Amino acid sequence: MKAELNITLIARGCAITGDMVVDHGISCFGLLDGGIISTQGLLHIGEGGLIKGTAQGEHVRIDGRVDGDVHARGSLEINGQVSGDIFYCGTIRLGPRAALNGTLKRVARMLTIEAQTEQKQGAVADARPSDSASGERVESNVTDISRVIA
């Protein structure tokens, strides 16, 4: 049986506004004005690709540009530009064209993504709107993607 390869491609000339969460690999050669999380596989920011937000993934390769923090649980390879803090726990490789403007921090695997997501998720959960008349919380039927991304 042949294994399926799941990957999302953001092509050159494509611009996406908002946050993305995928459970497979992703290659970005366009513009993503928001954060991106790839829970499995490779998160690749190709040449000409630009992420204006946080980039989080298992294996991260940056040949383009990220204006935001980068979180890598496994391997991290940078041949492009990063303007933000970098958190990694596996291996890191900086290529000859790597340009970093921020801090580089090696952290425990659980601190690369999961712990920050839980902390901020709790803050979002506590900030749910309340009914002004009764003071009770109003549950929304709309999923707030920022709980996952933020």
Side-chain angles (χ1 to χ4, degrees):
M1 182 187 268
K2 196 173 184 179
E4 289 186 35
L5 177 64
N6 291 326
I7 190 163
T8 298
L9 174 66
I10 302 173
R12 279 183 170 71
C14 181
I16 297 175
T17 301
D19 298 321
M20 288 183 68
V21 179
V22 297
D23 63 355
H24 51 271
I26 187 163
S27 285
C28 176
F29 294 91
L31 166 67
L32 176 61
D33 191 0
I36 187 167
I37 294 177
S38 174
T39 60
Q40 298 176 20
L42 175 66
L43 168 57
H44 178 225
I45 313 304
E47 286 190 42
L50 171 60
I51 304 293
K52 291 184 177 181
T54 301
Q56 302 179 18
E58 183 71 27
H59 303 285
V60 180
R61 180 174 177 174
I62 301 170
D63 293 321
R65 186 169 139 199
V66 176
D67 290 342
D69 294 346
V70 175
H71 302 259
R73 292 184 303 272
S75 62
L76 173 62
E77 183 177 344
I78 302 174
N79 294 307
Q81 300 176 345
V82 177
S83 293
D85 295 335
I86 297 172
F87 303 90
Y88 72 101
C89 66
T91 60
I92 184 169
R93 181 181 173 273
L94 301 177
R97 295 180 292 122
L100 308 176
N101 185 13
T103 61
L104 185 63
K105 297 179 184 176
R106 183 175 177 98
V107 296
R109 181 176 173 85
M110 66 183 176
L111 297 178
T112 53
I113 296 177
E114 294 86 356
Q116 290 183 351
T117 302
E118 289 172 10
Q119 289 171 353
K120 291 184 179 183
Q121 194 172 22
V124 172
D126 293 339
R128 288 187 183 148
S130 62
D131 183 347
S132 58
S134 65
E136 294 180 22
R137 283 190 174 171
V138 177
E139 292 297 322
S140 172
N141 63 352
V142 177
T143 301
D144 186 356
I145 196 166
S146 65
R147 290 183 198 164
V148 177
I149 301 279

